Amino acid sequence: MLNKYVVCIDPGLATGWSAWRRTSPDSAYSRAAYGVVSGGIKGIGNSDLYTYLSFADVVVCELFKRDSRTNNPDLSALYIEGYLQGLREERDTDGRFSFELEWQLNRSKATEVQDPILKEKGLWLTGGDVQWKDGRDANDSQLHFLSYIKRVKHGPSIRKYFL
């Protein structure tokens, strides 16, 4: 499909996101947009992220898993997961959101891809790039994208970002 979009999300009180586009089945994905949405679920509805969700073909979102790293974790990610699920269900009534929703564990960022590849490929984002204190959340969304293309074995993108 032409102009296929993948949107990757690192959900939380500060939600990092990145949108990726390819122009043909044989082309590599390129980053189309990125950002950080503050305020958890309340910030998404009026954001650029919401716009990209409306024409995404695939949404890759980190799945919240409570672990022992934090005693009282912020649960904003859970609300965003529910919100994305709700948007998918909305497609049945108005057809506006027709994306596949894929969940990724946070460990995929650490085990499959890491920050140096973002720097090497000119994708590294700073706080100034996303108007936030740092670019960590947006960078994490990009790591989710790179993990996704490895998992689906998208050859043109693997060649672009890993070779």
Side-chain angles (χ1 to χ4, degrees):
M1 170 193 294
L2 280 170
N3 302 320
K4 185 166 180 141
Y5 279 88
V6 175
V7 175
C8 296
I9 300 172
D10 188 68
L13 196 53
T15 296
W17 65 275
S18 54
W20 303 81
R21 177 178 178 253
R22 66 179 178 164
T23 56
S24 74
D26 297 327
S27 66
Y29 284 96
S30 294
R31 187 176 64 190
Y34 55 83
V36 171
V37 177
S38 62
I41 195 170
K42 293 177 184 175
I44 293 177
N46 294 321
S47 70
D48 289 341
L49 169 57
Y50 183 82
T51 301
Y52 279 92
L53 287 171
S54 71
F55 54 82
D57 298 294
V58 176
V59 172
V60 178
C61 183
E62 181 175 309
L63 183 63
F64 178 84
K65 290 286 186 187
R66 186 166 181 175
D67 57 29
S68 60
R69 292 182 298 170
T70 307
N71 287 335
N72 296 307
D74 178 76
L75 300 178
S76 297
L78 289 174
Y79 300 127
I80 293 168
E81 288 174 18
Y83 178 77
L84 292 172
Q85 197 67 36
L87 287 179
R88 283 195 65 239
E89 292 171 12
E90 215 176 276
R91 76 173 175 198
D92 296 333
T93 57
D94 69 12
R96 204 170 42 167
F97 296 96
S98 60
F99 54 80
E100 288 177 43
L101 186 53
E102 298 198 18
W103 305 107
Q104 234 176 41
L105 296 176
N106 68 355
R107 71 172 173 249
S108 65
K109 295 180 302 193
T111 59
E112 296 177 22
V113 292
Q114 296 175 344
D115 290 347
I117 196 165
L118 297 177
K119 294 174 183 176
E120 177 185 320
K121 297 299 179 177
L123 298 170
W124 185 255
L125 299 169
T126 66
D129 296 320
V130 294
Q131 289 75 53
W132 191 245
K133 63 182 179 178
D134 60 36
R136 180 74 266 157
D137 298 301
N139 285 323
D140 283 349
S141 78
Q142 297 187 108
L143 294 175
H144 282 298
F145 168 75
L146 293 173
S147 183
Y148 167 78
I149 62 168
K150 284 179 84 173
R151 188 170 40 78
V152 299
K153 297 177 174 74
H154 188 254
S157 297
I158 289 171
R159 285 188 291 280
K160 179 177 181 175
Y161 296 108
F162 295 102
L163 301 179

